[in-house]
Amino acid sequence: MLAEYLPLLLLFVIAFTFVGVSMLVASFLGPKNPNPTKRAAYESGIIPGDETDPRLGRFSVKFYVIAMLFIIFDVEAIFLHPWAVVLRDLGWFAFWAMAIFVLLLFESYYYILRRGGLEWD
């Protein structure tokens, strides 16, 4: 029974060995001339902690709502592609289950659209 897991264990050993050797080689071969500019955090051209920069204001909640809606749309695409590939093998039950899923998803998008969640003020 444990022999079935031997390829998986071997894969993990190879992966961790590759990561370790890569990091070791990079530490020896990489450039070693750090300066304050290279060590500073880079955040899209904004200097961290610079309160005089007008771009550092708080993000609107709308930004996060749109980001979460995009993630929901992405997850929908992740579920729809494998389903579409094997639809003929799954039969009508899978078709109606996915139809209900898509219907509920579109209903939630309609609700968000009606509430003004997609309007960028």
Side-chain angles (χ1 to χ4, degrees):
M1 179 166 167
L2 291 178
E4 296 173 0
Y5 292 105
L6 185 61
L8 186 62
L9 179 66
L10 185 63
L11 178 69
F12 280 130
V13 168
I14 291 172
F16 284 118
T17 303
F18 177 76
V19 169
V21 168
S22 297
M23 290 177 64
L24 189 66
V25 168
S27 68
F28 284 125
L29 298 179
K32 295 179 180 59
N33 52 354
N35 59 39
T37 304
K38 288 184 180 180
R39 298 186 76 118
Y42 180 75
E43 297 178 5
S44 302
I46 299 172
I47 300 169
D50 185 12
E51 299 300 328
T52 60
D53 194 340
R55 298 176 292 175
L56 285 179
R58 292 182 174 222
F59 282 109
S60 171
V61 173
K62 294 270 187 185
F63 173 79
Y64 297 107
V65 170
I66 297 294
M68 288 180 11
L69 289 175
F70 174 76
I71 290 172
I72 291 171
F73 176 76
D74 204 30
V75 168
E76 172 198 4
I78 288 171
F79 281 132
L80 280 176
H81 180 71
W83 168 79
V85 169
V86 294
L87 175 61
R88 290 189 181 168
D89 297 335
L90 296 177
W92 284 104
F93 177 75
F95 173 79
W96 290 113
M98 191 56 73
I100 292 170
F101 171 72
V102 170
L103 182 70
L104 289 173
L105 193 69
F106 283 146
E107 187 274 331
S108 64
Y109 276 133
Y110 176 71
Y111 173 77
I112 291 167
L113 184 65
R114 198 177 70 223
R115 297 277 306 209
L118 297 176
E119 295 176 8
W120 199 270
D121 294 327

